[in-house]
C-alpha cells in the first residue's frame, strides 16, 4: 500500500575527483564520515534514512515542513563544516526533494517521488537544493530561505515534466563559509570547477555558438553588436540576456514583445515579459512572438552540465 511522503536525495559533488586523488581507502573513509553525519542530521530532523547510495543518502519524511527545515539546516551546517575542510576532501552537497506516493518494500522505497528526488539531485549544482512544486504546497519556508522558480524539467521515465523550484538558503550564512582558505585556493574549488565545465550552446538557422560561463553575461538581439545575433524583425535590438547566477544559467527578457520558453520533454510554454527564468537541459526560446506563429524566430539552447 502506498504512502504519501517527502523524499530527499542528498549526494556529494566531486567525490569522483576525491577517489582519484586519495585512492579508494582514504576516499571511502572521507565519504563514509560525511554520509554518516548526513544520516544522523536527517534523522534528528524527523527523517527516516532508507539507504546509503555510495556518496549519497535517501531519506523520507512524513511531514513536508520538517523535510524542508531539515534540508535547509543540513546545508547551512554542512557549509560550516566545509569551511574547515581541506581541498583534497572538499565535496559540496546537493539535494533533490520531491513529494508523492511511495511504496515501502523490505526496508526500501519506490515510486515517482523517489525517481524525481534522485534526478533533481543529479541536476543541481554544488550547495543547491531543488524541490518539486508539490513540496512547497501549503508549506512555509524556513526562516531566511526563499524559493525561486526554475520551470518545468523533464525527468527520465515520466511523460509529464516536473515543475521545479530552487530553495535558496544562504541568506543566513556568512559567504566566507564557501571559501577555502589555503595557499593555493582562496575560492570555492568545486563550485568554480562546476562553472568551468558548464557550456551554453545556442542555435538559430545557420547561426551556432557555444559559450562558457566565464563569458556571461551575453546578449541575444537583432543588432550586430549582440553576442548572439538573430536578425529577424520580431526580435528587439537587445532582446534577452543570459547570466550565470548562483550556479544557474538565467535568461532575462529585456524586449518589447516578450520571449517564450519551451523545455524539451513537455510542459507548458513559459512567457517572459521583462522577467527571468533558469535554463536547464535542452529547449527553445521564441523571440517576440509565440511558438504558434510559424514565422517566429526560435533559438534552440542546450545547457551542458557535468553529471
Amino acid at each position: 500500500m502506498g504512502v504519501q511522503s517527502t523524499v530527499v536525495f542528498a549526494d556529494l559533488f566531486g567525490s569522483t575527483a576525491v577517489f582519484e586523488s586519495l585512492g579508494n581507502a582514504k576516499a571511502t573513509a572521507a565519504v563514509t564520515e560525511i554520509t554518516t553525519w548526513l544520516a544522523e542530521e536527517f534523522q534528528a530532523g524527523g527523517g527516516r534514512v532508507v539507504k546509503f547510495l555510495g556518496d549519497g543518502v535517501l531519506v523520507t519524511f512524513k511531514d513536508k515542513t520538517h523535510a524542508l527545515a531539515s534540508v535547509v539546516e543540513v546545508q547551512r551546517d554542512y557549509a560550516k563544516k566545509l569551511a574547515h575542510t581541506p581541498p583534497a576532501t572538499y565535496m559540496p552537497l546537493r539535494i533533490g526533494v520531491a513529494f508523492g506516493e511511495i511504496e515501502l518494500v523490505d526496508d526500501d522505497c519506490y515510486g515517482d517521488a523517489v525517481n524525481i528526488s534522485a534526478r533533481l539531485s543529479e541536476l543541481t549544482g554544488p550547495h543547491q537544493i531543488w524541490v518539486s512544486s508539490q513540496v512547497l504546497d501549503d508549506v512555509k519556508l524556513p526562516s531566511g530561505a526563499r524559493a525561486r522558480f526554475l520551470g518545468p524539467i523533464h525527468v527520465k521515465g515520466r511523460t509529464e515534466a516536473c515543475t521545479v523550484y530552487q530553495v535558496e538558503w544562504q541568506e543566513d550564512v556568512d559567504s566566507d563559509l564557501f571559501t577555502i582558505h589555503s595557499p593555493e585556493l582562496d575560492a570555492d574549488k568545486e563550485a568554480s570547477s562546476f562553472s568551468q565545465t558548464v557550456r551554453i550552446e545556442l542555435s538559430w538557422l545557420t547561426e551556432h555558438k557555444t559559450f562558457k560561463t566565464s563569458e556571461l553575461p551575453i546578449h541575444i538581439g537583432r543588432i550586430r553588436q549582440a553576442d548572439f545575433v538573430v536578425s529577424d524583425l520580431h526580435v528587439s535590438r537587445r532582446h534577452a540576456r543570459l547570466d550565470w547566477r548562483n550556479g544557474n544559467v538565467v535568461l532575462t527578457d529585456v524586449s518589447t514583445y516578450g520571449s517564450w520558453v519551451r523545455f524539451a520533454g513537455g510542459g507548458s510554454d513559459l512567457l517572459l515579459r521583462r522577467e527571468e527564468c533558469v535554463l536547464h537541459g535542452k529547449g527553445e526560446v521564441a523571440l517576440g512572438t509565440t511558438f504558434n506563429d510559424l514565422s517566429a524566430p526560435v533559438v534552440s539552447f542546450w545547457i551542458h552540465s557535468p553529471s
Side-chain angles (χ1 to χ4, degrees), residues 201-205 207 220 228-230 235 260 262 283-287 291 296-302:
E201 187 176 337
L202 300 178
S203 298
W204 174 71
L205 299 180
E207 185 81 1
I220 301 171
F228 190 83
V229 179
V230 181
V235 181
W260 283 256
R262 174 182 291 172
E284 297 175 321
V285 183
L287 304 176
F291 287 103
V298 176
V299 175
S300 298
F301 66 84
W302 185 3

Side-chain angles (χ1 to χ4, degrees), residues 185-201:
L185 280 172
D186 197 25
D188 187 332
K189 175 184 175 184
E190 293 298 339
S192 174
S193 174
F194 178 82
S195 69
Q196 291 171 13
T197 55
V198 174
R199 293 177 291 117
I200 303 96
E201 187 176 337

Side-chain angles (χ1 to χ4, degrees), residues 12 28-44 49 52 54-57 78 81:
L12 301 173
T28 298
V31 169
T32 301
E33 180 182 352
I34 298 170
T35 54
T36 300
W37 177 84
L38 287 173
E40 293 171 350
E41 292 295 303
F42 284 129
Q43 286 176 327
V49 177
F52 294 84
D55 58 359
V57 292
Y78 188 62
K81 291 172 67 70

Side-chain angles (χ1 to χ4, degrees), residues 162-297:
C162 176
T163 302
V164 178
Y165 289 80
Q166 178 175 326
V167 175
E168 297 183 342
W169 52 270
Q170 298 93 332
E171 292 183 10
D172 292 340
V173 180
D174 192 325
S175 60
D176 287 344
L177 297 177
F178 296 101
T179 303
I180 309 173
H181 300 288
S182 71
E184 296 80 20
L185 280 172
D186 197 25
D188 187 332
K189 175 184 175 184
E190 293 298 339
S192 174
S193 174
F194 178 82
S195 69
Q196 291 171 13
T197 55
V198 174
R199 293 177 291 117
I200 303 96
E201 187 176 337
L202 300 178
S203 298
W204 174 71
L205 299 180
T206 59
E207 185 81 1
H208 184 91
K209 284 188 176 182
T210 300
F211 301 91
K212 300 176 182 178
T213 56
S214 59
E215 298 176 276
L216 302 184
I218 62 167
H219 286 86
I220 301 171
R222 195 174 74 244
I223 58 174
R224 287 184 298 173
Q225 292 84 354
D227 303 284
F228 190 83
V229 179
V230 181
S231 53
D232 186 284
L233 292 178
H234 291 95
V235 181
S236 296
R237 291 168 58 82
R238 291 186 179 272
H239 197 101
R241 186 182 70 247
L242 291 180
D243 297 282
W244 177 250
R245 192 188 313 155
N246 296 327
N248 294 303
V249 178
V250 180
L251 172 72
T252 302
D253 175 77
V254 294
S255 70
T256 303
Y257 298 109
S259 303
W260 283 256
V261 181
R262 174 182 291 172
F263 293 94
S268 302
D269 297 344
L270 180 64
L271 169 60
L272 302 178
R273 281 203 172 101
R274 302 284 174 161
E275 296 170 306
E276 63 181 38
C277 77
V278 171
L279 298 186
H280 48 79
K282 294 182 179 181
E284 297 175 321
V285 183
L287 304 176
T289 185
T290 70
F291 287 103
N292 295 329
D293 185 342
L294 296 180
S295 66

